[in-house]
Amino acid sequence: MRISVLGLGYVGCVSAACLASLGHEVIGVDVNQVKVDLVNDGKAPVVEERIGELIAEVVRTGALRATGDVREAIMGSEVSLVCVGTPSEPNGSLCTTYLERVTEQIGAAVADRRERSGRHTVVFRSTMLPGTCLNLLVPILEKYVGGAAGVDIGVAVNPEFLREGTSVRDFFDPPKTVIGELDPASGDAVAALYDGLPGEVFRVPVPTAEAIKYADNAFHGLKIGFANELGAVCQALGVDSHQVMDVFLADRKLNISPAYLRPGFAFGGSCLPKDLRSLVHAARRADVSVPILAHVLPSNSAHLQRAVDLVERTGKRRVGLFGLSFKPGTDDLRESPLVELAERLFGKGYDLKIYDANVSLSRLIGANREYIETRLPHLGQLLADSVGEVLEHAEVCLVGTRDPAVLSALPHGDGPALIDLIHLPDADARRAEPGYVGLAW
């Protein structure tokens, strides 16, 4: 394919050189003439493993050249990869100035090109917040092109997952390829760029592709911060932190795995809250600052409050809650987030009915009974004997269980407002129904 790459920083330079080495004909574009001259001389404008040899080779064979003229590059290509920077503004917001400017230039050039050849596809590789492409960049393109995106011009978002220092290696052996496509033809054009490379390919809506890069980078930052904070606590307590993490990382069932990484309701139970409190307390006693660990429980409480807020927004007073125990299939109520939710709603004066097939006040003993008598002493009058009793009572229902009896009885369409705390099996279908709202989806 004939490809133009706009922006010859790390991402653009590596993308251009690697695509050229795959057999594509690539034109690099940059406003910095020094970068343009370096590439045309077969030299890399960035310091990166293997990039120098790669650029020298693809420039020598004629597969890669560079220019400062956007129009020239667009006229000579079928696909444009936009790799310009999106730095932070002083207040932390995303700067889209360079994106907007290059999109205007691409649109104007495509308007001329469209008269003489087929559809051009613009692929945004720059990191940008969800909504940026569809709400900001697509309107600019359509204005300058004088046509409709997805019809007269292709549009896609293709985030990069290149680590500086190993970016050439990462390009040829990617962890995944993500294509946010405005239409199937746009997605096909992007997929063709990477034909033959390993790794799973995900073709998703444009905003999803934009969000994935932020999910990845936020999690990478969180992992590093977590490891460093835990290391500092271990050091203060005289424990070998690397030995601890060696064992931690060996657990591929719960720790380094998909476990606990699906948006749902708040966590609770007899272990996680207690152990987090103990660890943070130990860090404070040792004068070790652990802002990430110290804010895990407040974050959890804020997530629980989102459910309360959703109930308040309905303006209704009769509430039904399905589920009460910390975990399905048990009667363990200790630090159950559903008990905390019931307590907050009851305290705010809501007329509450609760159904949990595994919770019976007469059967509660020991720590369970002591906990519930302290936190929710009126539980006996709130518990319902059946799913139907709750549905008959409620104007708004909160679903915090996957009990088959509950799931099969939940109405579709008309009925009480439905607040989904667990991502119901049919959540995607229910999103179109009036009254349904997911806690975090």
Side-chain angles (χ1 to χ4, degrees), residues 1 12 65 104 214 252 316 350 377 392:
M1 299 177 70
R65 65 182 179 88
E104 291 172 358
Y214 284 93
R252 301 305 173 101
K316 304 179 188 301
Y350 285 94
E392 187 176 338

Side-chain angles (χ1 to χ4, degrees), residues 164-214:
E164 288 190 26
T166 61
S167 56
V168 174
R169 234 183 304 158
D170 291 341
F171 185 96
F172 291 118
D173 187 18
K176 57 185 174 287
T177 297
V178 177
I179 303 170
E181 56 189 31
L182 191 63
D183 61 289
S186 296
D188 291 342
V190 181
L193 298 178
Y194 308 110
D195 188 38
L197 291 182
E200 192 168 355
V201 177
F202 298 89
R203 296 178 65 159
V204 296
V206 166
T208 301
E210 291 170 310
I212 286 167
K213 182 61 185 286
Y214 284 93

